[in-house]
């Protein structure tokens, strides 16, 4: 069995004559055009049309990328976890593919000697997710909806050929996914290769418009080290023979290019050195770093070519000369009018408030969201209704979360998930925000994903 690293979380797992393409994101432009690859990917999606299966771990566009999928052969069956919610299934089917939903923790034969076992990141236990995120409403909300399974959107996949085992953790987080990873360890024993994320993907800290340059750099470093510590948790539990830091690597393009300085990302060589320092990971575990397109043979413990670290100066030049001039997908939209916002705001607020009440969240925090022409939508998370005001309102004694976005993207989000989604805007770094005083309310940001008509 061998693994070919394409880019970020996109890998090809192959054993004998059966091949599985995992999380295909090859074409630049995930998250409304914000995310790009560096170095650029040299192959095209069509070069991978020989694979037997596609495995997609979750819905985020750096794993389920519509533009990449549309250039792959739609006759290739797509494997996903059997989630309680079908939005991933519907999105893949909308791209023209047949979807095969795999039960939680069930070893499935793919062909030849290759098997796959897909597990939800929270081990299909809503209390695991709620405990990790400090969201006690998660399990209660799941029980009232009759949900007996995962409340998360992510999954991990175990590939084995009866002799060697490869674990693809993609975006699964420690410690939330500890239970599922421990289940894998108990069932399979020795893990030959663990592929795991070593960096965070999201809009923090680079999205904070109230932080100084120095504060942004300090928060970047703290979050970068936190993500590496999370990876260490998996490595200590799994004790793999080999491990490969991958997933979550991207470079911001367009008008967001200047924010690359603040993105909490490590290079893969930084990750390798961190894991090796101070015996954080057992000396018996060997770090594997692969160039785009190169292979690692699990049985032989050999890779097709030595790893060549990214040249930071060449990356900066590529950002300045190539990426900074790119446009986002919504920038081709006409600039919306205030009347268009008024059309969607009432229903969007009702959905937000219904979700807010559904999860038992109440807060006096005032949300101020930019619309167009210096108009703002102002509302609270305590049922106090909403209003559109001219100009940024004066501060009150309430906590305030101010959110700034391009009006064209804001309108897409208010219209509904078919057009745009708040969480994708946040992860893509399109959202600029401030919090005064600086106390993050996870449930508020969760409910914001339902601010749509």
């Amino acid at each position: 069995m061998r693994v070919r690293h394409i880019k970020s979380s996109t890998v090809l797992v192959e054993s004998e004559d059966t091949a599985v393409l995992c999380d295909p994101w090859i074409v630049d432009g995930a998250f409304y055009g914000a995310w790009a690859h560096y170095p650029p990917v040299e192959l095209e999606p069509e070069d991978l049309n020989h694979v037997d299966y596609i495995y997609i771990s979750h819905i985020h566009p750096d794993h389920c990328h519509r533009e990449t999928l549309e250039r792959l052969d739609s006759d290739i069956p797509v494997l996903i976890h059997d989630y309680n919610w079908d939005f991933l299934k519907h999105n893949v089917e909308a791209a023209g593919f047949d979807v095969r939903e795999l039960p939680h923790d069930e070893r499935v034969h793919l062909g030849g000697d290759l098997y796959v076992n897909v597990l939800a990141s929270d081990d299909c236990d809503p209390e695991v997710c709620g405990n990790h995120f400090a969201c006690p409403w998660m399990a209660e909300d799941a029980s009232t909806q009759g949900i007996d399974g995962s409340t998360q959107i992510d999954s991990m996949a175990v590939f084995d050929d009866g002799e060697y085992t490869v674990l693809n953790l993609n975006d699964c987080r420690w410690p939330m996914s500890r239970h599922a990873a421990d289940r894998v360890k108990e069932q399979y024993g020795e893990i030959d290769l663990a592929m795991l994320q070593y960096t965070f993907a999201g809009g923090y800290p680079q999205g904070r418009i109230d932080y100084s340059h120095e504060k942004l750099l300090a928060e970047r470093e703290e979050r970068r080290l936190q993500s590496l510590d999370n990876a260490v948790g998996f490595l200590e539990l799994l004790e793999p023979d080999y491990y490969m830091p991958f997933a979550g690597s991207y470079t911001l393009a367009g008008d967001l290019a200047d924010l690359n300085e603040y993105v909490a990302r490590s290079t893969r060589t930084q990750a390798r050195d961190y894991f090796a320092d101070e015996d954080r990971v057992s000396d018996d575990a060997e770090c594997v770093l692969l160039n785009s397109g190169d292979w690692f043979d699990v049985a032989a413990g050999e890779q097709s070519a030595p790893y060549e670290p990214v040249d930071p100066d060449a990356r900066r030049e590529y950002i300045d000369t190539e990426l900074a001039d790119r446009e986002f997908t919504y920038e081709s939209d006409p600039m919306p009018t205030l009347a268009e916002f008024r059309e969607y705001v009432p229903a969007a607020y009702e959905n937000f408030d219904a979700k807010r009440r559904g999860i038992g969240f109440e807060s006096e925090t005032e949300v101020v969201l930019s619309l167009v022409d210096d108009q703002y939508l102002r509302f609270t998370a305590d049922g106090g209704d909403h209003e559109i005001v001219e100009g940024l309102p004066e501060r009150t004694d309430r906590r305030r979360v101010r959110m700034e976005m391009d009006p064209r993207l804001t309108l897409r989000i208010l219209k509904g998930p078919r057009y745009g989604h708040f969480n994708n805007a946040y992860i893509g770094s399109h959202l600029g925000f401030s919090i005064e005083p600086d106390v993050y309310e996870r449930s508020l940001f969760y409910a914001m994903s339902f601010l749509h008509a």
Side-chain angles (χ1 to χ4, degrees):
M1 186 160 54
R2 63 179 187 171
V3 173
R4 181 185 182 189
H5 189 208
I6 308 302
K7 195 63 103 175
S8 192
S9 57
T10 305
V11 296
L12 185 66
V13 179
E14 186 176 57
S15 183
E16 292 187 342
D17 57 355
T18 304
V20 183
L21 176 63
C22 302
D23 289 336
W25 170 41
I26 297 170
V27 180
D28 275 2
F31 296 101
Y32 312 122
W35 281 29
H37 293 298
Y38 186 81
V41 183
E42 295 182 358
L43 57 76
E44 303 293 337
E46 293 83 358
D47 296 332
L48 296 166
N49 278 334
H50 65 282
V51 303
D52 301 286
Y53 298 93
I54 298 171
Y55 160 67
I56 297 179
S57 63
H58 65 290
I59 189 64
H60 284 149
D62 58 321
H63 300 260
C64 179
H65 188 236
R66 183 64 176 265
E67 288 76 7
T68 296
L69 286 174
E70 288 176 344
R71 291 177 55 183
L72 290 167
D73 186 350
S74 60
D75 288 335
I76 303 170
V78 175
L79 310 174
I80 68 171
H81 185 269
D82 186 11
Y83 291 107
N84 285 289
W85 295 286
D86 287 334
F87 43 80
L88 174 58
K89 179 175 184 285
H90 292 159
N91 272 267
V92 176
E93 288 177 338
F97 290 82
D98 290 329
V99 176
R100 181 178 175 185
E101 296 177 287
L102 302 184
H104 178 74
D105 192 20
E106 183 175 305
R107 187 170 180 255
V108 175
H109 182 234
L110 297 180
D113 61 3
L114 187 61
Y115 291 78
V116 68
N117 182 2
V118 177
L119 296 87
S121 60
D122 59 359
D123 201 25
C124 279
D125 182 353
E127 289 191 9
V128 170
C129 177
N131 291 337
H132 173 64
F133 286 122
C135 301
W137 49 263
M138 185 67 77
E140 181 178 349
D141 193 37
S143 64
T144 59
Q145 297 181 46
I147 294 172
D148 181 20
S150 176
T151 57
Q152 275 295 296
I153 64 169
D154 207 351
S155 65
M156 63 181 69
V158 190
F159 297 94
D160 81 274
D161 61 2
E163 185 175 1
Y164 296 98
T165 301
V166 172
L167 174 58
N168 181 350
L169 287 161
N170 58 80
D171 282 1
C172 290
R173 293 290 184 197
W174 181 273
M176 187 183 71
S177 296
R178 175 175 185 160
H179 295 273
D182 192 46
R183 184 188 295 271
V184 171
K185 177 67 174 178
E186 289 180 2
Q187 292 183 23
Y188 291 86
E190 184 173 346
I191 306 298
D192 296 284
L193 172 64
M195 299 182 289
L196 73 167
Q197 191 180 72
Y198 63 101
T199 185
F200 281 121
Y204 185 85
Q206 67 270 20
R208 292 297 293 258
I209 57 178
D210 53 342
Y211 282 179
S212 67
H213 170 72
E214 292 74 19
K215 175 70 170 175
L216 285 167
L217 292 179
E219 290 298 307
R220 178 200 70 183
E221 190 66 7
E222 180 177 343
R223 192 164 176 83
R224 184 183 74 82
L225 295 177
Q226 181 187 352
S227 67
L228 294 173
D229 282 338
N230 288 347
V232 169
F234 282 118
L235 294 173
E236 289 179 338
L237 170 67
L238 295 168
E239 298 179 309
D241 291 337
Y242 300 93
Y243 62 94
M244 187 172 86
F246 85 140
S249 59
Y250 63 94
T251 301
L252 293 174
D255 289 341
L256 301 175
D258 289 342
L259 297 181
N260 280 300
E261 180 180 8
Y262 306 119
V263 173
R265 63 181 298 274
S266 301
T267 66
R268 281 186 280 168
T269 52
Q270 282 178 318
R272 178 195 61 197
D273 295 344
Y274 183 85
F275 298 143
D277 185 42
E278 298 180 0
D279 298 323
R280 290 189 174 95
V281 178
S282 169
D283 291 338
D284 295 332
E286 185 175 335
C287 184
V288 176
L289 303 181
L290 296 177
N291 305 307
S292 178
D294 285 349
W295 293 95
F296 178 71
D297 187 309
V298 180
E302 298 176 350
Q303 60 190 75
S304 56
Y307 176 67
E308 298 177 6
V310 169
D311 183 337
D313 292 332
R315 180 174 179 266
R316 280 191 291 268
E317 181 179 0
Y318 184 76
I319 292 172
D320 293 340
T321 60
E322 173 65 26
L323 297 185
D325 292 332
R326 293 188 181 177
E327 291 191 353
F328 304 134
T329 55
Y330 55 80
E331 290 183 318
S332 60
D333 296 351
M335 189 61 67
T337 64
L338 184 59
E340 290 178 281
F341 282 106
R342 291 189 184 278
E343 178 182 354
Y344 295 104
V345 160
Y349 172 78
E350 288 301 322
N351 283 335
F352 164 84
D353 198 55
K355 175 54 66 173
R356 190 267 312 164
R357 287 184 278 108
I359 63 176
F361 172 65
E362 183 173 317
S363 172
E364 292 186 351
T365 297
E366 176 185 71
V367 179
V368 181
L369 172 64
S370 65
L371 299 179
V372 69
D373 296 333
D374 203 32
Q375 303 285 324
Y376 285 83
L377 173 62
R378 179 167 66 176
F379 58 94
T380 56
D382 58 2
D385 210 354
H386 67 280
E387 63 177 337
I388 294 177
V389 298
E390 183 174 358
L392 184 65
E394 293 290 330
R395 285 278 289 114
T396 67
D397 57 355
R398 293 175 179 259
R399 178 181 296 113
R400 169 181 284 183
V401 178
R402 175 185 173 188
M403 300 183 178
E404 300 279 348
M405 272 192 296
D406 186 296
R408 293 164 292 190
L409 180 55
T410 305
L411 182 63
R412 284 192 179 195
I413 291 170
L414 292 176
K415 289 173 68 174
R418 286 181 53 199
Y419 306 94
H421 196 277
F422 177 84
N423 186 246
N424 284 344
Y426 169 74
I427 294 175
S429 302
H430 298 278
L431 176 69
F433 63 101
S434 64
I435 304 176
E436 304 173 80
D438 195 358
V439 178
Y440 178 71
E441 293 174 291
R442 183 179 298 278
S443 293
L444 173 62
F445 276 72
Y446 174 79
M448 283 296 297
S449 290
F450 298 85
L451 184 71
H452 59 74

